[in-house]
Amino acid sequence: MALHCTPQIAIDEAEIEESFVRASGPGGQNVNKLSTAVQLRFDVRRSRSLPDAVAVRLMRLAGRRLTGEGVLIITAQRFRTQERNRADARERLAALVAEAAVPPTPRRATRPTLASKKRRLDEKSHRSGVKRLRGGPGDDG
């Protein structure tokens, strides 16, 4: 069984580790008794399911959710049941991997147009004229 992120990328179930913890915040009587929040751990660095380029982009996208060892931690506690939180955490992991799978479009260098250069120079001369007029007669600076 695998978690499908894109048509080309599927994460093996063995690479995903889930633990259930108590959710924070309001929840009535069950909040102190049931462990409904899910903490999903996925080792990005050691994953055989991800191509290297995707893994690098995923580590950059993960931000603070990534530990020093390269483990991605997703905590899901939006819902009141373990099953829905588990599905939510897996969906968020799949969405993050799908976003990392899209390579960035390379930037093409362009030159400023002649009109934009003229507008910039006109604005500069207008600005300098405004500043020149600010000094009153006999102004010693």
Side-chain angles (χ1 to χ4, degrees):
M1 185 104 178
L3 175 68
H4 294 281
C5 304
T6 67
Q8 296 83 21
I9 299 173
I11 298 172
D12 188 25
E13 289 288 329
E15 295 184 36
I16 298 172
E17 181 186 317
E18 293 171 332
S19 57
F20 301 99
V21 293
R22 291 199 176 123
S24 62
Q29 296 171 348
N30 283 339
V31 77
N32 295 324
K33 294 188 292 184
L34 301 177
S35 298
T36 56
V38 177
Q39 196 174 59
L40 184 142
R41 295 172 154 268
F42 175 62
D43 195 343
V44 180
R45 282 199 191 137
R46 294 194 185 97
S47 175
R48 293 178 305 280
S49 304
L50 297 178
D52 290 339
V54 175
V56 169
R57 284 195 294 270
L58 179 60
M59 286 192 276
R60 195 170 295 128
L61 270 175
R64 288 179 29 202
R65 291 173 287 195
L66 196 73
T67 65
E69 295 83 42
V71 177
L72 175 66
I73 300 174
I74 295 176
T75 306
Q77 57 183 15
R78 260 195 296 189
F79 302 104
R80 290 177 64 156
T81 62
Q82 223 176 50
E83 295 81 28
R84 287 180 70 187
N85 281 330
R86 188 169 178 250
D88 182 43
R90 287 169 170 265
E91 285 170 15
R92 284 166 44 196
L93 173 63
L96 211 58
V97 172
E99 189 179 343
V102 178
T105 55
R107 184 190 178 281
R108 290 206 317 265
T110 58
R111 292 174 53 203
T113 62
L114 195 62
S116 68
K117 287 181 184 176
K118 186 176 176 348
R119 276 194 304 272
R120 184 181 66 87
L121 293 174
D122 288 346
E123 179 60 31
K124 277 173 70 88
S125 61
H126 176 70
R127 207 33 52 219
S128 70
V130 167
K131 288 186 176 187
R132 200 175 330 108
L133 292 172
R134 281 187 190 152
D139 219 5
D140 291 343

